[in-house]
Amino acid sequence: MGDSKTLTDLKIRQIAPILKEKIQHQALLLSPSKYNEVIGDRYNAVSVKVALHNQAIYLLLQKGIQPEKIVIDAFTSAKNYDKYLAQEANRFSNPISLEEKAEGKYLAVAVSSIIARDLFLENLENLGRELGYQLPSGAGTASDKVASQILQAYGMQGLNFCAKLHFKNTEKAKKRLER
């Protein structure tokens, strides 16, 4: 078992439907526009992840799933996780383990990562289709170029629809457009 980050997006798109069919799961998607709406108000990038992890686990437990252990690939400290978790309405009593590199240690975490990445890629395709652009994932020159094209075509409303605005890419895209 390895890290799903070593899999190509194409491989993830091939594997995920099989996993989704065979394994009970709960995937949640926070659209870029909704992300932009909640960031800075009640949430930051870490607290959003805590909220989404918590809600997915809560919903699985509500479905009657009885896990031996709940493990999350550590994206923050346990102290931070607990601090943000205290703000969430849907609570459960099961203990949570935050472990670094959990994806390489636990099949369930690896599967979760693959399903989550597939959902992200599917949403990226759908958003791109709606705007008429192929949206690259992540940061970099390709993302900056497409972001500036979307800014030119649709303004900030278009970028808000398909990108997280609080990253440096937004400023890079604006500067690229000014050239």
Side-chain angles (χ1 to χ4, degrees), residues 3-20 103 110-111 113-122:
D3 192 324
S4 74
K5 291 173 195 75
T6 63
L7 298 173
T8 65
D9 288 345
L10 179 63
K11 198 67 173 165
I12 287 197
R13 299 304 313 268
Q14 291 170 339
I15 295 169
I18 299 162
L19 296 174
K20 287 192 240 183
E103 203 176 315
V111 167
S113 182
I114 290 168
I115 290 172
R117 178 74 180 170
D118 179 64
L119 184 61
F120 166 78
L121 293 169
E122 182 182 344

Side-chain angles (χ1 to χ4, degrees), residues 105-174:
K105 301 175 194 171
Y106 301 94
L107 185 58
V109 179
V111 167
S112 296
S113 182
I114 290 168
I115 290 172
R117 178 74 180 170
D118 179 64
L119 184 61
F120 166 78
L121 293 169
E122 182 182 344
N123 185 58
L124 201 61
E125 281 178 24
N126 292 338
L127 293 174
R129 199 174 303 116
E130 286 187 52
L131 290 171
Y133 290 88
Q134 186 167 356
L135 303 176
S137 66
T141 309
S143 293
D144 297 343
K145 183 178 177 186
V146 172
S148 65
Q149 291 170 346
I150 291 169
L151 261 177
Q152 187 165 25
Y154 300 102
M156 280 304 288
Q157 188 177 355
L159 204 55
N160 182 62
F161 176 73
C162 67
K164 295 175 183 175
L165 298 180
H166 79 283
F167 289 114
K168 290 179 184 170
N169 296 51
T170 303
E171 294 309 312
K172 285 182 186 176
K174 286 179 183 176

Side-chain angles (χ1 to χ4, degrees), residues 68-119:
E68 290 174 31
K69 186 175 183 179
I70 298 174
V71 179
I72 297 173
D73 203 353
F75 57 87
T76 190
S77 68
K79 183 180 175 185
N80 240 4
Y81 192 93
D82 291 341
K83 176 180 84 171
Y84 292 128
L85 188 59
Q87 300 171 17
E88 296 306 309
N90 294 332
R91 305 298 294 276
F92 49 87
S93 59
N94 306 55
I96 293 173
S97 295
L98 293 170
E99 293 190 33
E100 290 186 18
K101 302 192 186 314
E103 203 176 315
K105 301 175 194 171
Y106 301 94
L107 185 58
V109 179
V111 167
S112 296
S113 182
I114 290 168
I115 290 172
R117 178 74 180 170
D118 179 64
L119 184 61

Side-chain angles (χ1 to χ4, degrees), residues 3 6 8 29 32 37-38 43 57 60 103 146 165 177:
D3 192 324
T6 63
T8 65
L29 177 72
E37 184 184 315
V38 301
Y43 292 98
I57 295 164
L60 278 171
E103 203 176 315
V146 172
L165 298 180
L177 188 60

